[in-house]
């Protein structure tokens, strides 16, 4: 009998998924998402047992510190709930504002706490622990999940554990008590383990893992396997009756498989398995770290989609990309990053024929019993590969203009005396800004090959003029000259500069990959060939036959 | 005993005060009908009746513990112009001699009031008179033909002038009042019915199934302030006859008895809400006389009939042609008297005509009006309205509009005469006991 | 082309677990299940003076005791006054309740037999804010909200019909009254 998890295609059961969706779909009064995609991704990683770096329960430890901070600022039970649950839209700046409000009202009621520019430091008998403002949105999301999970069954237990921890801290001579915080975190970790045990089927994805592994082993030897674009398509054609029903899901699973193997390999080699992942957990993602070349397998493990960085903090106030026209086509490219560079054709199939399959399944979902349109089954609506290439080339031009405009914004801000300051963190340290002076952005551009060598003064002046022109031409939110002196705006452009660079790097590289594929009209021929292949498979899956009820599929 | 229907004139229309009763709750409430919707204006009403806060407790208290429930026929959203109506409703209930009725058809007297009442009983202006009259026009027109005496009462001064300036249905009595003492005296509603401090008379002045032994409240005389000379000199153009005619309007009987208002089912309302004996030993200390009342003795001269002239101007942005063809209502501006027989000369670029207003009061008399052109010409019937032929009994207000000729220069001068009598008039001859007034008015183009 | 060096058995286990976590993360982020009620949503509803209608939340409250208890906790924590104590039992009337700085009582209308007047008297001490909502939580932790008119002279007063749901709740000595 098929379990609920199998039906949902996830090890998480309906309760787990519903508990997470409760937060993922939470909106502010204005209708915006309560938590940024970045925060939700971090939360998801933690919940499945992956997000804690070396110690997967470390976020619970951090959460207890934050609870301790709120309590030391006079936040009683009502105040704690107001801080952790009362925010309309959770950002680092909002968390800092709430704490500042408490601080102004009562100051520190216990010793051992210190307000800092980037967060709050707690001194536990000489051991210091800092909770940054940038980290707080994730911790608030974690608290809310713990309070809500299992239909609030653990809410009372959560409060009791916190109250015990706070009572011990209040009794401590120095105002803080590390052991109490650890005990509190351990209590929460135990509850979280029980929750995972109840709602997360551990072996759920083993079959998928083994299916891919066995398929690849047939093509390699015991010590090494390899696969190319065609292997994913062939695998899908062979396995599209079950867990790998859609090409997109197959592609995603191959990407995850690669990332998992890469992480294991990196660990074996003694490397940090997920450099950015660890940085995330400390809340310090440096966009400049995204400037790595997509060549080594380790990059699969380290890759992190840069686009969500634009969704929170001061960068969210600047409209770097339009939604459907720019962000939407770029999103899958940046999501898979180096994987798309290695398997460019597989990605084209993901975009073009994945969309067709999604349209087919949507049609069946909303119109059960109605035959799927022939044109859909025949992939007549699929976006051609050359169209996609042209789209990305157009986006690269726009991206170049955005980068120049961002350069101008930072250059202007630098002129106002604010650029490059190592310790300025307008949004509470969401992003480390240590080296994002305009020169650094420029240097990044140079490294990318736009400039072959060190620029002359004339070249620099010409670039600045061009950048100013680009800035003026962009009439989007946040690109207002009069606001460039604002700290938060400056901060937003610094974050954006790193993201634009990372996106540009992937986009530029991918376009080059497509150029190579297109030699001699290769893309056109590939598209025709793939259309025929997918049409056959779609017909098998969704076409009307005499002896099968298509609605049962 | 008179059945009063009391209405507050509001910009949203007439709002009837249907019932006042006591509740064992600390705040007084204004409630929509018999329902449970406590209106937001209740807080201000509570201030109006609360000891030390408003005039109701001062004039009619002290009251036992608890508050009032005042039921109104429609919501009152804002402002304080309901105060005069609420006060008069309290006065009617407190006096015991009269009663409030919920059904207008049962009313002998319909009072439509607007104005504030301060702690000392002085009535304050509220404005928006034209809008309030406009909103009430339909009801007033309907009641005008009924048997009940219909009165509109506004604060003396600007509000009263605006009241008079409006073209309301004829047959209405429009009064201006300066203080509640005079107003109650004019309407023969005893003010402070529970003044005598005896156990029998300290019962709460609320609706009651059993007649009480309440003593008759002392009369304060009929000292209604008509703002006689002030109106004439300041803004008026009102001409009063020297003596009021002897026919009394339909007045309530003077005997004061505890009467039942709109009765609630016996099972619902206790027969009597016990009223604690007032602690104050000096009745004057409990219910001080409004200062104004003491200055108003003896009763005033009669004020009706009266004659007034209004200029009819085209509103800003409109032409007289729109007024002539009834496309727009003209603005009415009263013309003051400059001598005892002459109105001030009228002129103005937007002056379209004049309105002659004859007000005869609530009592029927014979009246004859006539107009004699001395220079220029006027457009419209130069013959008086049929009711003012002197051959039939008439009462209330009568308007006589006349237009100035279009594009004709030169002054218009006319003489207006009004003769009244208790007997029929023939050819405007003044009979014995009759009165005639003649006034001259000139209009320059 | 992607080449992968095969790990040993332990490495393969780690890779399989890693793969599972990535897949789970993707499953969580991609949706595929109906959203439950979040604590923030419940808190916002509990704390709002006039919450927006939320049928899903109200249905969940009806069905889920833990949810109701949490809701009650939220309301209680944010309450300006708590009136748990019934001053005197009464066979037919509604007993008054008293809390620190406040008292709530009900009196029958003298004018209309099918109406009652709810009276909340506040001492206003300590600069306490004026409550906007009366929340009555019954013994099964169902909390019922009654918006309040503004206070006047330290009193909040309103009229209810005899069949108003507030009356049986106030009559029940096991009901907790919270003002917020």
């Amino acid at each position: 009998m098929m379990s609920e998890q199998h039906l949902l295609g996830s090890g998480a059961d309906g309760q787990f998924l519903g508990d997470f969706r409760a937060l993922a779909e939470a909106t502010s009064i204005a209708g915006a998402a309560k938590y940024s995609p970045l925060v939700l991704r971090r939360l998801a990683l933690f919940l499945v047992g992956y997000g804690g770096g070396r110690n997967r329960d470390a976020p619970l430890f951090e959460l207890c510190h934050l609870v301790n901070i709120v309590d030391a600022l006079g936040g009683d039970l009502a105040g704690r709930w107001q801080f952790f649950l009362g925010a309309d839209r959770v950002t680092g700046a909002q968390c800092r504002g709430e704490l500042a409000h408490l601080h102004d009202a009562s100051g520190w009621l216990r010793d051992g706490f210190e307000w800092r520019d980037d967060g709050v430091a707690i001194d536990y008998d000489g051991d210091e622990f800092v909770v940054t403002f940038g980290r707080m949105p994730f911790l608030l999301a974690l608290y809310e999940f713990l309070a809500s999970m299992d239909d609030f069954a653990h809410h009372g237990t959560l409060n009791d554990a916190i109250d015990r921890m706070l009572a011990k801290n209040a009794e401590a001579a120095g105002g803080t008590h590390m052991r109490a915080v650890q005990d509190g975190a351990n209590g929460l970790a135990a509850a979280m383990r029980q929750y995972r045990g109840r709602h997360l089927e551990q072996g759920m994805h083993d079959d998928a893992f083994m299916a891919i592994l066995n398929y690849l082993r047939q093509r390699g030897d015991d010590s090494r396997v390899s696969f190319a674009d065609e292997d994913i398509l062939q695998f899908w054609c062979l396995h599209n009756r079950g867990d790998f029903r859609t090409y997109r899901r197959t592609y995603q699973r191959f990407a995850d498989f690669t990332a998992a193997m890469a992480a294991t390999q990196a660990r074996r080699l003694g490397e940090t398995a997920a450099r950015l992942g660890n940085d995330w957990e400390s809340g310090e993602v440096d966009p400049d770290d995204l400037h790595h070349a997509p060549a080594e397998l380790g990059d699969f493990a380290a890759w992190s989609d840069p686009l969500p960085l634009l969704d929170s903090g001061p960068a969210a106030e600047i409209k770097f990309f339009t939604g459907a026209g720019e962000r939407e086509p770029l999103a899958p490219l940046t999501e898979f990053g180096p994987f798309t560079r290695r398997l460019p054709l597989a990605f084209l199939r993901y975009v073009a024929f994945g969309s067709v399959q999604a349209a087919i399944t949507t049609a069946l979902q909303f119109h059960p019993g109605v035959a799927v349109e022939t044109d859909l089954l025949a992939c007549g609506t699929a976006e051609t590969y050359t169209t996609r290439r042209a789209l990305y080339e157009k986006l690269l031009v726009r991206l170049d203009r955005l980068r120049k405009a961002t350069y101008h914004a930072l250059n202007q801000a630098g002129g106002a005396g604010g650029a490059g300051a190592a310790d300025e963190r307008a949004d509470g340290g969401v992003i480390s800004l240590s080296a994002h002076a305009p020169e650094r952005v420029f240097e990044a551009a140079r490294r990318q090959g736009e400039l072959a060598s060190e620029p002359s003064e004339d070249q620099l002046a010409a670039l600045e003029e061009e950048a100013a022109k680009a800035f003026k031409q962009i009439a989007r939110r946040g690109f207002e000259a009069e606001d460039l002196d604002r700290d938060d705006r400056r901060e937003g452009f610094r974050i954006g500069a790193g993201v634009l660079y990372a996106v540009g790097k992937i986009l530029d590289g991918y376009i080059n990959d497509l150029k190579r594929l297109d030699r001699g009209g290769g893309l056109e021929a590939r598209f025709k060939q793939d259309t025929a292949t997918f049409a056959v498979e779609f017909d098998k899956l969704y076409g009307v036959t005499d002896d099968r009820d298509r609605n049962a599929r | 005993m008179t059945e009063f229907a009391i209405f507050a004139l509001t910009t949203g229309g007439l709002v009837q005060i249907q019932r006042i009763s006591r509740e064992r709750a600390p705040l007084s409430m204004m409630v929509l009908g018999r329902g449970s919707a406590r209106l937001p204006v209740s807080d201000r009403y509570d201030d109006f009746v609360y000891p030390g806060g408003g005039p109701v407790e001062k004039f009619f208290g002290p009251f036992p513990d608890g508050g009032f429930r005042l039921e109104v026929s429609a919501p009152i959203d804002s402002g304080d112009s309901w105060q005069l109506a609420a006060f008069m409703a309290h006065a009617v209930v407190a006096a015991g001699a009269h009663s409030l009725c919920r059904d207008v058809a049962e009313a002998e007297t319909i009072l439509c009031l607007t104005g504030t009442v301060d702690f000392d009983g002085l009535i304050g202006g509220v404005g928006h008179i034209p809008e309030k009259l406009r909103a009430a026009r339909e009801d007033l027109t309907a009641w005008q033909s009924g048997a009940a005496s219909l009165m509109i009462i506004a604060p003396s001064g600007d509000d009263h002038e605006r009241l008079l300036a409006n073209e309301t249905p004829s047959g209405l009595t429009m009064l201006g009042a300066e203080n509640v003492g005079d107003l109650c005296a004019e309407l023969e509603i005893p003010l402070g019915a529970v003044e005598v401090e005896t156990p029998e008379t300290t019962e709460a002045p609320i609706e009651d199934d059993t007649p009480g032994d309440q003593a008759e409240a002392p009369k304060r005389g009929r000292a209604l302030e008509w703002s006689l000379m002030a109106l004439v000199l300041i803004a008026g153009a009102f001409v009063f006859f020297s003596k009021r005619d002897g026919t009394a309007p339909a007045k309530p009987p003077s005997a004061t008895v505890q009467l039942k208002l709109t009765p609630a089912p016996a099972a619902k309302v206790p027969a009597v809400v016990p009223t604690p004996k007032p602690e104050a030993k000096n009745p004057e200390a409990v219910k001080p006389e409004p200062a104004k009342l003491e200055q108003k003795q003896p009763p005033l001269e009669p004020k009706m009939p009266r004659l007034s002239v209004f200029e009819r101007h085209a509103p800003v942005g409109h032409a007289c042609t729109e007024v002539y063809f009834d496309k727009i209502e003209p603005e009415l501006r009263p013309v003051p008297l400059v001598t005892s027989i002459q109105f001030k000369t009228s002129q103005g670029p937007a002056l379209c005509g004049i309105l002659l207003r004859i007000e005869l009061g609530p009592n029927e008399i014979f009246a004859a009006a006539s107009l004699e052109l001395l220079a220029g010409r006027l457009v419209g019937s130069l013959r008086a309205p049929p009711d003012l032929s002197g051959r039939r009994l008439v009462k209330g207000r009568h308007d006589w509009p006349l237009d100035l000729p279009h594009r004709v220069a030169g002054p218009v001068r006319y003489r207006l005469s009004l003769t009244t009598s208790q007997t029929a008039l023939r050819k405007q001859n003044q009979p014995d006991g009759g009165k005639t007034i003649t006034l001259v008015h000139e209009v320059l183009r | 082309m992607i080449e992968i060096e095969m790990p040993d058995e332990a490495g393969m286990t780690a890779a399989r677990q890693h793969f599972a976590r990535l897949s789970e993360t993707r499953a969580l982020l991609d949706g595929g299940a109906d959203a439950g009620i979040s604590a923030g949503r419940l808190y916002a509803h509990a704390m709002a003076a006039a919450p927006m209608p939320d049928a899903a939340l109200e249905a969940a409250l009806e069905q889920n005791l833990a949810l109701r208890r949490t809701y009650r906790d939220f309301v209680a924590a944010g309450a300006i006054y708590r009136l748990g104590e019934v001053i005197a039992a009464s066979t037919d009337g509604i007993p008054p309740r008293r809390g620190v700085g406040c008292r709530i009582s009900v009196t029958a209308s003298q004018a209309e037999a099918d109406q009652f007047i709810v009276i909340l008297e506040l001492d206003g001490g300590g600069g306490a804010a004026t409550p906007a909502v009366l929340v009555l939580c019954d013994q099964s932790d169902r909390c019922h909200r009654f918006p309040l008119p503004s206070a006047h002279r330290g009193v909040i007063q309103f009229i209810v019909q005899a069949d108003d749901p507030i009356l049986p709740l106030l009559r029940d000595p096991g009901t907790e009254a919270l003002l917020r």
Side-chain angles (χ1 to χ4, degrees):
Chain A
M1 185 177 172
M2 190 173 271
S3 69
E4 183 184 19
Q5 280 89 338
H6 280 93
L7 287 171
L8 295 166
S10 158
D13 65 6
Q15 180 71 48
F16 196 152
L17 290 173
D19 288 347
F20 183 81
R21 297 312 304 168
L23 270 68
E25 294 176 17
T27 55
S28 67
I29 292 169
K34 181 177 180 180
Y35 296 107
S36 73
L38 198 59
V39 166
L40 291 170
R41 179 167 169 76
R42 289 175 189 171
L43 179 64
L45 285 165
F46 167 77
L47 293 177
V48 301
Y50 181 52
R54 293 181 189 86
N55 178 359
R56 72 176 185 175
D57 291 330
L60 297 170
F61 189 56
E62 292 175 82
L63 175 59
C64 288
H65 287 299
L66 183 55
V67 170
N68 203 12
I69 289 167
V70 174
D71 182 74
L73 283 171
D76 56 5
L77 182 62
R80 186 199 312 160
W81 282 338
Q82 175 60 33
F83 177 77
F84 282 100
L85 303 175
D88 186 43
R89 193 168 175 217
V90 180
T91 65
Q94 173 266 328
C95 292
R96 179 163 61 179
E98 285 289 317
L99 291 179
H101 179 68
L102 290 172
H103 189 261
D104 291 345
S106 66
W108 297 111
L109 300 184
R110 289 190 269 126
D111 293 334
F113 295 84
E114 185 189 353
W115 188 275
R116 296 212 180 141
D117 287 344
D118 62 341
V120 176
I122 315 174
D123 178 24
Y124 293 98
D125 283 336
D127 291 333
E128 185 181 89
F129 195 95
V130 178
V131 182
T132 64
F133 299 121
R135 183 65 168 165
M136 290 179 190
F138 164 67
L139 298 177
L140 261 64
L142 178 55
Y143 180 96
E144 187 171 358
F145 186 89
L146 292 169
S148 320
M149 65 185 195
D150 265 343
D151 292 331
F152 296 80
H154 308 286
H155 187 242
T157 314
L158 172 70
N159 287 322
D160 291 346
I162 287 173
D163 288 345
R164 278 195 301 275
M165 177 191 79
L166 293 175
K168 286 180 189 169
N169 272 281
E171 292 164 3
T176 60
H177 194 290
M178 178 62 94
R179 184 68 239 171
V181 175
Q182 287 169 341
D183 289 346
N186 288 338
L188 300 184
M192 197 63 230
R193 273 196 300 277
Q194 288 171 12
Y195 179 83
R196 287 195 192 103
R198 274 194 303 275
H199 301 296
L200 190 61
E201 190 178 310
Q202 293 298 338
M204 175 65 196
H205 301 284
D206 287 355
D207 289 348
F209 182 86
M210 292 309 297
I212 294 172
L213 183 63
N214 291 334
Y215 173 80
L216 296 180
R217 272 178 173 159
Q218 292 168 12
R219 281 154 176 72
D221 54 36
D222 287 344
S223 62
R224 184 173 291 270
V225 295
S226 64
F227 62 96
D229 300 275
E230 299 309 315
D231 292 314
I232 297 180
L233 179 59
Q234 190 179 18
F235 180 91
W236 175 69
C237 291
L238 292 171
H239 295 84
N240 61 23
R241 304 289 172 191
D243 188 42
F244 297 94
R245 185 169 184 80
T246 68
Y247 180 82
R248 279 188 172 176
R249 187 167 173 79
T250 306
Y251 181 87
Q252 288 166 351
R253 298 215 126 185
F254 267 83
D256 290 345
F257 179 87
T258 307
M261 297 299 273
T264 306
Q265 185 186 51
R267 195 171 294 124
R268 193 171 64 242
L269 295 172
E271 297 173 0
T272 303
R275 187 175 58 199
L276 285 181
N278 281 348
D279 285 342
W280 274 8
E281 296 317 313
S282 64
E284 304 287 340
V285 177
D286 186 340
D288 210 37
D289 287 342
L290 299 168
H291 306 158
H292 48 72
E296 301 302 322
L297 191 59
D299 290 331
F300 293 120
W303 177 253
S304 168
D305 188 351
L307 279 180
L309 290 170
L310 299 179
D311 297 330
S312 59
E317 303 305 316
I318 303 169
K319 190 171 184 178
F320 286 102
F321 294 116
T322 62
E326 296 173 355
R327 176 94 184 228
E328 206 172 280
L330 286 173
L333 187 67
T334 59
E335 181 189 354
F336 295 105
F339 195 70
T340 61
R341 295 291 315 281
R342 293 291 191 89
L343 304 173
L345 187 56
F347 180 74
L348 279 179
R349 290 168 180 149
Y350 173 91
V351 172
F353 299 102
S355 297
V356 174
Q357 194 172 16
I360 291 171
T361 53
T362 302
L364 286 172
Q365 187 182 349
F366 287 99
H367 305 287
V370 178
V372 178
E373 288 179 28
T374 314
D375 194 37
L376 262 184
L377 286 177
C379 301
T381 59
E383 181 189 47
T384 67
Y385 297 161
T386 50
T387 304
R388 176 61 49 158
R389 177 189 162 183
L391 174 63
Y392 281 149
E393 284 172 342
K394 190 172 76 177
L395 287 177
L396 186 63
V397 173
R398 289 193 203 171
L399 194 74
D400 181 53
R401 201 170 68 217
L402 275 172
R403 281 187 293 191
K404 284 174 180 161
T406 301
Y407 170 77
H408 171 77
L410 290 173
N411 207 28
Q412 293 300 109
D423 56 352
E424 286 190 21
R425 294 165 186 239
D427 191 39
V430 174
I431 301 297
S432 170
L433 302 168
S434 55
H436 270 283
E439 306 79 52
R440 182 69 177 272
V441 179
F442 185 84
E443 173 61 17
R446 190 190 64 76
R447 277 190 300 179
Q448 197 180 333
E450 290 175 358
L451 293 168
S453 59
E454 289 296 323
S456 66
E457 282 191 14
D458 288 346
Q459 282 177 312
L460 204 57
L463 178 66
E464 282 171 4
E465 191 180 336
E466 208 175 324
K469 192 177 167 189
F471 185 88
K472 279 183 188 168
Q473 286 175 339
I474 296 176
R476 294 182 186 176
R477 189 184 69 240
F479 286 81
E480 297 95 2
E482 60 271 23
D483 290 337
L484 290 180
D485 285 344
R486 281 170 36 189
D487 285 349
D488 59 334
R489 186 54 45 87
R490 209 158 58 221
E491 183 83 354
F493 275 110
R494 284 176 188 152
I495 296 165
V499 173
L500 292 177
Y501 179 79
V503 174
K505 185 116 184 114
I506 282 290
L507 184 60
D508 190 51
Y510 187 66
I511 288 171
N512 286 332
D513 296 337
L514 294 184
K515 280 179 187 169
R516 278 196 300 277
L517 285 173
D518 205 16
R519 280 176 197 146
L523 280 181
E524 193 69 40
R526 285 281 186 183
F527 179 73
K528 282 182 183 168
Q529 193 178 333
D530 289 347
T531 299
T533 305
F534 276 94
V536 168
E537 294 302 317
F538 289 162
D539 188 60
K540 282 187 212 166
L541 287 168
Y542 308 110
V544 179
T545 60
D546 292 338
D547 58 345
R548 286 186 300 173
D549 178 6
R550 66 176 175 277
N551 293 320
R553 287 172 284 148
Chain B
M1 172 179 173
T2 301
E3 293 271 352
F4 280 94
I6 295 185
F7 291 84
L9 266 172
T10 77
T11 51
L14 287 166
V15 177
Q16 187 184 9
I17 296 175
Q18 298 173 319
R19 179 167 69 157
I20 297 176
S21 49
R22 294 288 294 176
E23 292 283 15
R24 292 189 184 118
L27 296 183
S28 290
M29 300 175 287
M30 201 180 280
V31 178
L32 191 58
R34 292 179 184 275
S36 57
R38 177 184 181 273
L39 299 177
V41 73
S42 290
D43 289 349
R44 293 210 298 282
Y45 172 62
D46 182 72
D47 290 337
F48 189 63
V49 301
Y50 185 65
V56 171
E57 200 275 344
K58 177 180 176 181
F59 282 87
F60 309 117
F63 301 119
D65 284 347
F68 286 104
R69 171 192 172 109
L70 182 143
E71 295 175 4
V72 290
S73 60
I76 295 174
D77 296 326
S78 60
D80 289 321
S81 64
W82 50 268
Q83 287 183 350
L84 181 56
F87 185 92
M88 293 307 293
H90 273 280
V92 165
V93 172
H98 312 299
S99 63
L100 279 182
C101 58
R102 193 184 291 267
D103 185 353
V104 182
E106 295 174 2
E108 295 168 66
T109 300
I110 301 172
L111 301 181
C112 303
L113 308 101
T114 186
T116 60
V117 181
D118 74 6
F119 191 66
D120 294 320
L122 295 174
I123 297 169
V126 288
H128 301 289
I129 298 296
E131 295 95 315
K132 290 173 179 176
L133 285 175
R134 217 168 14 249
R137 183 179 294 274
E138 196 174 320
D139 286 332
L140 294 176
T141 304
W143 297 335
Q144 176 196 0
S145 57
S149 174
L150 177 56
M151 295 186 187
I152 302 178
I153 300 164
S156 294
D158 288 347
D159 285 345
H160 186 217
E161 285 168 26
R162 290 183 186 281
L163 185 66
L164 294 173
N166 264 273
E167 294 188 48
T168 52
S170 58
L172 300 182
T173 302
M174 288 181 284
L175 309 179
E178 280 191 0
N179 66 68
V180 294
D182 292 350
L183 182 58
C184 286
E186 175 63 21
L187 297 171
E188 296 203 344
I189 300 170
L191 193 57
V194 291
E195 204 167 293
V196 180
E197 191 182 340
T198 64
E200 291 76 16
T201 59
T202 53
E203 288 191 347
I206 66 167
E207 94 177 43
D208 191 348
D209 285 339
T210 55
D213 300 325
Q214 200 165 16
E216 183 178 346
K219 294 286 180 63
R220 297 182 195 280
R222 304 178 61 210
L224 180 63
E225 168 60 86
W226 296 113
S227 308
L228 180 63
M229 291 311 293
L231 279 178
V232 170
L233 294 175
I234 297 170
F238 312 124
V239 179
F240 302 100
F241 284 76
S242 59
K243 288 289 181 184
R244 188 172 187 163
D245 64 77
T247 308
K251 295 296 179 189
S254 58
T256 303
V257 291
Q258 188 78 5
L259 293 171
K260 179 182 173 184
L261 298 180
T262 311
K268 293 181 177 179
V269 183
V272 175
V273 177
T275 305
K277 187 175 181 178
E279 290 180 4
K281 297 300 177 190
N282 178 1
E284 291 303 314
V286 177
K287 285 171 282 298
E289 290 288 336
K292 198 78 178 177
L293 282 179
E294 293 175 4
Q295 299 166 5
K296 291 297 175 186
Q297 306 295 340
L300 294 175
E301 294 290 321
K303 295 100 192 160
M304 295 290 180
R306 56 186 165 191
L307 189 61
S308 51
V309 175
F310 293 82
E311 296 168 355
R312 296 166 63 226
H313 290 265
V316 175
H318 295 276
C320 282
T321 47
E322 295 175 83
V323 173
Y324 296 151
F325 293 101
D326 292 328
K327 289 181 177 171
I328 192 165
E329 288 288 312
E331 282 181 7
L332 296 182
R333 299 179 190 170
V335 184
L337 284 169
V338 290
T339 72
S340 61
I341 60 164
Q342 188 164 6
F343 287 101
K344 183 181 176 183
T345 301
S346 297
Q347 61 182 332
L351 182 60
C352 309
I354 53 175
L355 177 77
L356 311 179
R357 175 163 290 175
I358 298 104
E359 295 195 72
L360 302 171
N363 307 316
E364 289 187 329
I365 53 172
F366 294 96
S370 67
L371 185 143
E372 181 187 0
L373 270 174
L374 304 176
R377 66 185 182 91
L378 289 165
V379 179
S381 174
L382 300 182
R383 182 172 291 182
D387 284 347
L388 301 179
S389 63
R391 290 193 288 272
R392 63 182 73 164
L393 282 165
V394 289
K395 64 178 181 178
R397 179 200 286 182
H398 300 268
D399 286 341
W400 184 358
L402 292 162
D403 295 338
L404 290 171
H406 191 46
R407 291 183 179 176
V408 174
V412 176
R413 194 160 55 249
Y414 63 92
R415 181 187 292 123
L416 177 65
S417 299
L418 176 67
T419 301
T420 59
S421 171
Q422 297 300 317
T423 59
L425 297 165
R426 295 282 183 267
K427 295 185 179 176
Q428 201 122 8
N429 294 328
Q430 181 183 314
D432 291 341
K435 298 292 175 189
T436 297
I437 180 90
T438 301
L439 288 161
V440 175
H441 182 217
E442 186 176 75
V443 182
L444 300 177
R445 300 302 300 271
Chain C
M1 171 76 77
I2 291 174
E3 290 189 357
I4 299 171
E5 193 176 334
M6 299 301 287
D8 57 16
E9 192 173 336
M12 192 61 80
T13 303
R16 197 176 64 244
Q17 289 171 346
H18 197 135
F19 175 81
R21 288 168 191 150
L22 290 173
S23 298
E24 284 310 332
T25 302
R26 201 178 290 284
L28 286 178
L29 292 168
D30 286 351
D34 292 335
I37 304 295
S38 71
R41 181 175 169 187
L42 189 69
Y43 181 79
H45 195 273
M47 302 308 285
M52 298 290 285
D54 188 337
L57 187 145
E58 281 150 22
L61 278 170
E62 187 59 32
Q63 293 162 8
N64 187 325
L65 177 62
L67 208 66
R68 292 203 296 272
R69 284 188 176 152
T70 305
Y71 187 90
R72 182 173 178 164
D73 288 345
F74 286 160
V75 174
I80 304 168
Y81 299 101
R82 298 182 72 154
L83 305 97
E85 180 190 353
V86 174
I87 293 172
S90 175
T91 52
D92 50 8
I94 297 176
R97 294 158 184 269
R98 182 179 294 152
V100 176
C102 63
R103 180 180 186 273
I104 182 167
S105 59
V106 179
T107 184
S109 168
Q110 304 298 293
E112 297 291 334
D114 60 348
Q115 291 179 4
F116 291 82
I117 303 171
V118 181
I119 303 158
L120 285 84
E121 294 161 281
L122 315 167
D123 71 0
T130 304
V133 184
L134 169 65
V135 185
L136 295 168
C137 298
D138 63 21
Q139 296 182 66
S140 60
D141 290 300
R142 287 186 170 80
C143 292
H144 309 261
R145 309 168 62 95
F146 300 92
L148 297 173
S150 58
H152 186 63
R153 292 193 286 111
V155 178
I156 294 171
Q157 183 177 304
F158 55 98
I159 307 170
V160 296
Q161 296 290 334
D163 58 356
D164 193 288
I166 197 173
L167 294 176
L169 290 165
L170 287 171
R171 193 173 283 122
D172 180 358
T175 302
E176 182 185 23
L178 302 158
L179 288 168
R180 42 170 317 275

